[in-house]
Amino acid sequence: MAAPNIVNVTTILGKTAMVKLSNNSATSVLANGGSSGKVLKLAGVLAANTEGVNVNVAFDLYITRSAVNYYLAKNITIPALAAYEAFVKDGTPVYLEEGDTLYAKSGNASGYIDVLVAYEEIS
């Protein structure tokens, strides 16, 4: 099914997805199923380094579409006990179309990053 025409929507739901990165593998944060009939509008992404012992952590954020990765942030250093704001609602809109998945990855083997994504589910 094709993504909905966002001019003629019937439902817009505000939602939040959260994940705790616990290793240095890419982790799915938010996925829009291939036949969901929805588009997901990302309103903002926050990534917080939860390690308090002077450990700077590299961070990647990307969308996979048709097996190709498109980076929103690449190798961003987040200092200990600090946060990175990838983008906010008033910036350039980013949509997850059907079949797209948003991934986050920590550069540290222990993860140390909490990721929060505010988004609108539009159908």
Side-chain angles (χ1 to χ4, degrees):
M1 178 182 248
N5 178 342
I6 61 174
V7 174
N8 298 314
V9 300
T10 57
T11 305
I12 300 175
L13 300 173
K15 295 191 168 194
T16 305
M18 295 174 274
V19 298
K20 185 174 286 294
L21 303 182
S22 59
N23 56 44
N24 59 354
S25 297
T27 301
S28 172
V29 179
L30 182 62
N32 189 5
S35 60
S36 70
K38 300 173 184 175
V39 63
L40 307 180
K41 181 179 180 181
L42 304 182
V45 178
L46 294 174
N49 180 346
T50 59
E51 177 54 40
V53 189
N54 298 321
V55 175
N56 294 337
V57 179
F59 173 71
D60 294 346
L61 183 71
Y62 61 92
I63 295 171
T64 298
R65 176 179 292 165
S66 301
V68 178
N69 297 337
Y70 299 94
Y71 284 84
L72 303 171
K74 177 84 171 146
N75 204 28
I76 301 296
T77 299
I78 305 174
L81 298 177
Y84 169 74
E85 187 174 37
F87 55 90
V88 293
K89 184 175 183 162
D90 295 332
T92 302
V94 176
Y95 297 94
L96 290 185
E97 297 178 15
E98 290 180 325
D100 290 354
T101 302
L102 179 69
Y103 287 94
K105 183 176 185 251
S106 171
N108 188 291
S110 297
Y112 296 138
I113 296 180
D114 290 351
V115 181
L116 179 144
V117 179
Y119 67 100
E120 296 173 350
E121 182 181 275
I122 303 170
S123 59

